[in-house]
Amino acid sequence: MQVQLTAIIILLVFSAIFSATETAFTSLSFVQLKILENRKSRASRLAYRLSQRREELITTVLVGNNVVNISVSSLVTTFAIEFFSSQAIGYATGILTLVILIFGEITPKQLALTHNMKIAVFMAYPMRFLTTILFPVIWALRHFSALITRLFSSHADPTITTEGVMHMVDAAENVGLVDQYESDLMQRAIHFSETQVRTIMTHRTNVFCVSDELTIRDAFPSIVRSGYSRIPIFHGTPENIIGIVLVRDILKAQLEKRMDKMLSSIQREPMFVPEQMHLDDVFYLFKKAKLQQAIVLDEYGGFSGVVTMEDVAEQLFGELYDEHERRFPDRIVEREQKPGTFLVMADTPFQQMVDELDLMVDEHRGRTSTVAAYLLDLIGDIPSEGEVVQSPLGTFRIISMKGNRMEAVEFSPTIDDGTL
């Protein structure tokens, strides 16, 4: 009797260990896995490698857990018949089920959720031993299970998605792990490589440029008034940009008394980028070429606008102003008279509005660049001031127009943040 009770207790302990191990490994987050991978401890690195072979690991744990539970059930049944009677089997089964649930499943799993990294590291070597000796059984079960799985599932969902990372950032902000500025910075960094140049460029209609037919002396006053340090140079028409002039080169020419030379004599070769290029690629080109400005071309090779290193940096850190630059109002401002309603500049990047207002938008919404572009896609025509536009995101009202171009809109999000 004492031997059987001891065996039953030992098997229950093994059941608890297997349950805790399963929960510990499956509950490891992406961050915890990276911590285990980068630790110097061999057990930690082994735990990381085991977690990357999840199917093999889970199969091993389940085989062990089922063998233990079936064995303890058989022992309890034999014990009940031998020392009591066959009528006691029902009571023994009920008591065993309760004991396994409390001490073999629920309690170990709750402890494993709290100490998953410690348990995973502690069980790393025992699990590797079991996966080795049970390899034939595990191999057969995995392939049989994979065959059945393929009949009902064509593809698996990705483990980590952009949406999942965004939710992790929001959760970190909610619990106070990061503040709002850090959360906004991380969200902008996530979308940095997805944003195209055309979203942040200064459109050609707003670009200050001068003709290469002017002398340095003739162009100097207008360049000073513009306040820009890098000026595109065109030949013939403003559509034909052939170079860039730096103010410091003009000042150097003044010191060397070369002001009567043509602007083309001091112009520099421009860098051209397509408007579909992503910001991470533009940033790399700026660093590689040691330039601060690039000329943006449309799909036909025509002049579309300009983009600067400052424009790229602002996508991460927000608007940047120097001492000579006039500060503009924030692009998205909640209206004091109408809580929950926002005044939005029409040239605001669409993704910026989505991030700042926590809107739920389909990842495959297309190549919408600005709020104005989004509204034009919905309307299909040039809107007028005061026009109201209903969208899956909420209600837009056109506040102001400059010619045929939208300047500002009023936006009221839908309560459930509808999907585009």
Side-chain angles (χ1 to χ4, degrees), residues 104-387:
E105 293 291 336
I106 298 175
T107 303
K109 288 180 183 294
Q110 288 180 341
L111 290 173
L113 287 173
T114 307
H115 307 286
N116 54 355
M117 287 184 64
K118 292 181 180 178
I119 293 176
V121 172
F122 180 77
M123 292 300 299
Y125 282 105
M127 292 310 302
R128 187 177 70 170
F129 174 74
L130 285 177
T131 55
T132 302
I133 64 173
L134 295 176
F135 177 76
V137 177
I138 295 170
W139 183 89
L141 290 175
R142 282 181 59 200
H143 282 74
F144 182 72
S145 176
L147 177 64
I148 298 176
T149 302
R150 281 197 294 270
L151 297 176
F152 298 96
S153 177
S154 58
H155 66 278
D157 293 333
T159 305
I160 301 175
T161 63
T162 301
E163 183 182 1
V165 175
M166 298 289 284
H167 284 310
M168 289 176 62
V169 174
D170 288 336
E173 181 184 351
N174 291 336
V175 300
L177 188 61
V178 298
D179 58 29
Q180 184 177 358
Y181 174 77
E182 293 171 327
S183 174
D184 292 341
L185 179 60
M186 285 187 280
Q187 292 189 16
R188 286 194 292 264
I190 291 171
H191 291 297
F192 186 73
S193 61
E194 302 174 359
T195 306
Q196 295 181 345
V197 171
R198 66 196 184 104
T199 302
I200 68 167
M201 71 179 184
T202 301
H203 192 265
R204 59 184 178 82
T205 56
N206 296 323
V207 173
F208 172 78
C209 52
V210 294
S211 172
D212 66 339
E213 298 176 355
L214 296 175
T215 64
I216 301 175
R217 188 182 305 278
D218 293 336
F220 186 62
S222 60
I223 290 176
V224 172
R225 285 194 298 269
S226 72
Y228 299 113
S229 58
R230 297 169 181 83
I231 299 90
I233 305 299
F234 65 86
H235 177 71
T237 67
E239 303 291 325
N240 183 28
I241 303 297
I242 61 171
I244 294 176
V245 168
L246 305 184
V247 168
R248 69 179 183 180
D249 289 338
I250 296 177
L251 296 176
K252 183 179 179 181
Q254 186 180 35
L255 290 174
E256 297 174 354
K257 302 186 183 305
R258 293 186 291 114
M259 294 294 284
D260 292 325
K261 296 287 186 179
M262 304 300 292
L263 272 177
S264 56
S265 65
I266 61 170
Q267 75 180 28
R268 301 193 178 206
E269 190 71 20
M271 181 173 72
F272 296 99
V273 298
E275 60 182 16
Q276 293 83 12
M277 181 176 283
H278 293 96
L279 297 192
D280 55 341
D281 296 323
V282 177
F283 184 69
Y284 172 76
L285 290 178
F286 277 144
K287 289 178 60 180
K288 182 180 179 181
K290 297 180 180 179
L291 296 176
Q292 297 289 320
Q293 187 180 70
I295 306 300
V296 184
L297 304 178
D298 59 25
E299 65 258 44
Y300 303 106
F303 178 45
S304 183
V306 298
V307 64
T308 66
M309 177 67 89
E310 180 180 337
D311 295 328
V312 176
E314 286 178 341
Q315 293 308 299
L316 288 175
F317 304 107
E319 295 291 336
L320 303 173
Y321 301 95
D322 58 32
E323 58 272 16
H324 302 294
E325 191 174 5
R326 182 168 64 92
R327 183 180 179 89
F328 291 92
D330 291 335
R331 292 179 178 272
I332 303 174
V333 179
E334 186 171 10
R335 311 202 78 169
E336 296 181 0
Q337 304 88 346
K338 300 179 180 179
T341 301
F342 301 87
L343 180 65
V344 183
M345 298 296 105
D347 62 349
T348 301
F350 184 74
Q351 189 60 55
Q352 178 182 343
M353 184 183 73
V354 170
D355 290 342
E356 290 195 17
L357 302 184
D358 292 328
L359 304 176
M360 296 299 294
V361 181
D362 185 2
E363 292 181 0
H364 308 289
R365 64 179 182 277
R367 300 192 303 172
T368 301
S369 56
T370 63
V371 174
Y374 172 66
L375 293 176
L376 289 174
D377 287 341
L378 288 176
I379 302 171
D381 199 358
I382 304 298
S384 57
E385 288 189 8
E387 183 173 345

Side-chain angles (χ1 to χ4, degrees), residues 65-103:
N65 205 10
N66 279 280
V67 169
V68 167
N69 288 340
I70 292 172
S71 299
V72 72
S73 178
S74 300
L75 280 176
V76 168
T77 301
T78 304
F79 180 81
I81 293 175
E82 183 177 348
F83 292 96
F84 298 98
S85 65
S86 58
Q87 296 178 348
I89 294 177
Y91 296 104
T93 302
I95 294 172
L96 177 64
T97 301
L98 184 62
V99 170
I100 290 179
L101 278 175
I102 296 175
F103 299 103

